[in-house]
Amino acid sequence: MMKKFGLIVAGGISAIVLLVNLGPIAVLLISGALMYVSIKQFLKTDTTFAKIVWALIGLAAFSSTVSNFPAIIGLVALYVLYVIYKNWNKEETVKEESADPFTNFEREWSKLNKN
């Protein structure tokens, strides 16, 4: 029960952080795509003028990508939500001890030898 409460609290905080950072995440994706396209076009072109133009576009996109650091925090919040979703219905494994006296003796003997 306490584990579910902790997951709910962590999920709520992560959801709020993700919602606050949706704008920077969108700008990060757009500027990253623009940077990718500019690199591809820079490598395709043959003229010097076109290479300069694509390099300037790429540098502008790179500076926009770097300036959207809060989007990284939003992506981390998205990952935390994913982990919480995966662990929501995971059952805890409870180790049952055997009633066999020989197994209990071996376990107790190994504990005594460790000390």
Side-chain angles (χ1 to χ4, degrees):
M1 180 67 180
M2 198 66 174
K3 180 180 177 185
K4 294 279 187 185
F5 179 72
L7 289 176
I8 289 172
V9 169
I13 292 171
S14 297
I16 291 169
V17 170
L18 179 64
L19 288 174
V20 167
N21 288 314
L22 278 179
I25 289 173
V27 174
L28 178 72
L29 291 175
I30 292 169
S31 62
L34 184 62
M35 190 169 52
Y36 175 77
V37 168
S38 68
I39 290 171
K40 287 294 189 181
Q41 291 299 323
F42 177 83
L43 295 175
K44 282 184 184 178
T45 58
D46 294 329
T47 63
T48 306
F49 178 72
K51 285 194 181 270
I52 291 172
V53 169
W54 283 114
L56 289 174
I57 292 171
L59 287 174
F62 177 73
S63 67
S64 175
T65 302
V66 170
S67 69
N68 282 314
F69 181 74
I72 306 284
I73 297 168
L75 293 175
V76 169
L78 180 65
Y79 177 72
V80 168
L81 280 174
Y82 172 74
V83 170
I84 289 171
Y85 174 75
K86 287 301 224 181
N87 289 330
W88 184 258
N89 287 328
K90 189 183 254 186
E91 294 184 21
E92 296 178 22
T93 56
V94 177
K95 197 176 190 182
E96 292 187 24
E97 296 186 13
S98 173
D100 183 20
F102 295 109
T103 308
N104 289 335
F105 175 77
E106 291 296 328
R107 185 179 56 249
E108 292 297 324
W109 186 257
S110 65
K111 284 182 186 177
L112 287 173
N113 284 335
K114 285 182 183 177
N115 293 332

